[in-house]
Each structure stands twice: as C-alpha cells, then as structure tokens.
Amino acid sequence: MLGNGRCEALCIDGTKRLCHIRGKMHKKVWIAAGDIILVGLRDYQDDKADAILKYQPDEARLLKAYGELPDNLRLNEGIAGGMDEEEEGGADDYIEFEDEDIDRI
C-alpha cells in the first residue's frame, strides 16, 4: 500500500505496476501484502493498472487448482510469510505450559 488509494502490485508477468484502487473498493475492501487481486491493465500506460477485485483465500485456491495461476505462486503468505504452514526443522513460536506452572499462577 502506498496511500491515497494506490498500491504496488507484482503481476504474474513479472512487472511491478502502480495500481489505483477503484472507488467501489476504496475503504471497503482492505488489500494487504500477499493478497491476490485482479488487475485491469491500461492500454496507454504499461506501468500503471487498476485494482478491480480482491480474491478471497478460497477463491485464490480455486484459481490455482483450475490452472489460472502459475504453480510457483505461493498463496496466503502475506506479511507473516505463511504462518499457517508448519515447516520442518523450524523453531517453535509458542510456549508450552505444564500443569505445575499454571497452578503457581
């Protein structure tokens, strides 16, 4: 997000484009980093586009299953970087309490 109803989007063709969020979505649909959005390209400006629609996570998974999105695209990463997925060999991000610790509190 860049402010003033604009965001920077990395398109499937590999180019970064400055996107203007259309008025119907402005302040109603929040776009975060890592979200899959539908972008309308402009005929007269290759480096600018319009954000038309934000796909929900289940819609994005269906698009990937139908082959509309490339296979190397990772879904639902966002800023957190895929916190839902458990990676092997990674450090635990939570604290385990035993019953003895809870009784002391």
Side-chain angles (χ1 to χ4, degrees), residues 12 34 36 55-77 85:
I12 293 176
I36 306 294
Y55 288 108
Q56 298 299 323
D58 56 339
E59 294 171 329
R61 280 192 292 280
L62 284 174
L63 283 174
K64 191 169 182 180
Y66 294 150
E68 297 294 329
L69 295 176
D71 292 332
N72 61 355
L73 185 72
R74 297 178 66 183
L75 299 177
N76 298 335
E77 287 186 7
E85 301 172 4

Side-chain angles (χ1 to χ4, degrees), residues 74-87 93:
R74 297 178 66 183
L75 299 177
N76 298 335
E77 287 186 7
I79 297 172
M83 286 180 58
D84 294 338
E85 301 172 4
E86 190 170 321
E87 298 178 15
D93 292 337

Side-chain angles (χ1 to χ4, degrees), residues 3-75:
N4 201 20
R6 296 173 188 231
C7 64
E8 190 174 54
L10 178 63
C11 296
I12 293 176
D13 61 357
T15 59
K16 282 189 178 181
R17 291 187 171 92
L18 179 67
C19 292
H20 179 263
I21 300 172
R22 61 184 286 206
K24 189 176 181 181
M25 290 177 56
H26 189 70
K27 292 191 178 181
K28 293 178 181 71
V29 177
W30 296 97
I31 298 174
D35 286 343
I36 306 294
I37 59 173
L38 179 64
V39 174
L41 301 178
R42 296 181 179 179
D43 294 334
Y44 52 93
Q45 292 175 319
D46 190 41
D47 59 338
K48 292 186 180 178
D50 299 307
I52 298 173
L53 176 74
K54 174 186 170 186
Y55 288 108
Q56 298 299 323
D58 56 339
E59 294 171 329
R61 280 192 292 280
L62 284 174
L63 283 174
K64 191 169 182 180
Y66 294 150
E68 297 294 329
L69 295 176
D71 292 332
N72 61 355
L73 185 72
R74 297 178 66 183
L75 299 177

Side-chain angles (χ1 to χ4, degrees), residues 91-99 101-102 105:
D92 293 334
D93 292 337
Y94 58 90
I95 300 171
E96 259 185 58
F97 290 103
E98 295 185 14
D99 294 333
D101 297 333
I102 294 173
I105 297 176

